[in-house]
Structure formats: structure tokens, C-alpha cells
Amino acid sequence: MLLYPSAGAATKIIFVAASREIICDRLRRVPEGFVTTYGDLSPGAPRQAGRVLAHATDDELPWWRVVHSDGTWVKGARQRRLLEAEGIPIRGERVVMREARIDPEAIL
DNA sequence: CGTTTGACGGATA
DNA sequence: ATATCCGCCAAAC
């Protein structure tokens, strides 16, 4: 990936920030036992994914499958329980991304 | 319209 | 390992 850091506008090709609807769709495609990241849900504007999840009404979104790119998560013990319940590999306080991160292409 | 917000990410020190 | 710093951008204000 990546790119032409100083190319300015030209760089945008790869950074395709997603709308709320796209983000929700992608997240719903993440299978049980796997996780995705904010950045994979909304390339280039990961905070957008954060915004969406923050207001996500408790139901219908497997929010616990979203973790930081380094494998850490933000919802504490509650989230950890949910992750472990799906058999998602965790070492210390982080998800083993090499094993659990779903291929971004797979949820497009 | 202009400004701020966000459960971010990566680079650097 | 922690700590800033800065870019990103669709929504919410």
C-alpha cells in the first residue's frame, strides 16, 4: 500500500473513507471468530468508524469485533469476554492480529 | 455556510 | 514501554 506521501491529492486513491452505512455493512460482514479495525472499516479516516460505533445503539452491530490496529480494544473486560467467547486469540491485553484480523478485501 | 467531533493510525522521540 | 503530534473526513452542531 502506500504511496506517495507528499503527492497531496494524488494520494487519495487509496484512502477511501467510508460513510456510516458502508461502515455498518462491512462490520456486519466480519465473521464470528474474527476482528477488524477502525482503519479497515474506513481507510484514511478511521475516526469515522469510531464515530459510528460510539453512537451505535446496542443492538445489531458486532461492535466487539472492532479493535485498534495494534490489537488493543477500548471496551475493557466486557469486550474481552465477548472476544474470548468467540475464540478470538488474545495474548496479554491484545488480540493476535496476525490470526484474527479479517482480510479487509473480504468485507468490502 | 464554518467548526468541532470521533471507540483512529502511524510516525517520531 | 509511554507520550506527543499531526493528518484524515463524514457527520453533527
Side-chain angles (χ1 to χ4, degrees):
Chain A
M1 20 198 280
L2 321 269
L3 7 129
Y4 316 75
S6 53
T11 311
K12 284 204 172 252
I13 328 177
I14 30 171
F15 292 153
V16 186
S19 66
R20 190 172 78 85
E21 186 179 5
I22 295 295
I23 288 169
C24 290
D25 286 346
R26 287 179 179 167
L27 176 50
R28 280 190 269 263
R29 284 187 196 104
V30 177
E32 188 178 320
F34 290 83
V35 299
T36 187
T37 71
Y38 298 88
D40 286 345
L41 289 176
S42 181
R47 299 177 89 104
Q48 190 60 21
R51 253 194 79 269
V52 172
L53 288 187
H55 298 64
T57 41
D58 316 358
D59 36 351
E60 81 213 326
L61 274 181
W63 57 266
W64 61 93
R65 294 180 191 146
V66 186
V67 300
H68 287 287
S69 60
D70 67 0
T72 59
W73 58 84
V74 291
K75 293 297 288 182
R78 161 94 182 292
Q79 184 166 13
R80 177 167 190 147
R81 271 205 323 283
L82 291 164
L83 291 170
E84 290 178 323
E86 295 191 350
I88 290 167
I90 293 173
R91 272 199 320 253
E93 283 305 299
R94 46 172 78 194
V95 170
V96 181
M97 298 307 272
R98 295 233 299 217
E99 299 172 24
R101 186 181 197 163
I102 187 75
D103 181 344
E105 300 275 316
I107 60 174
L108 290 184

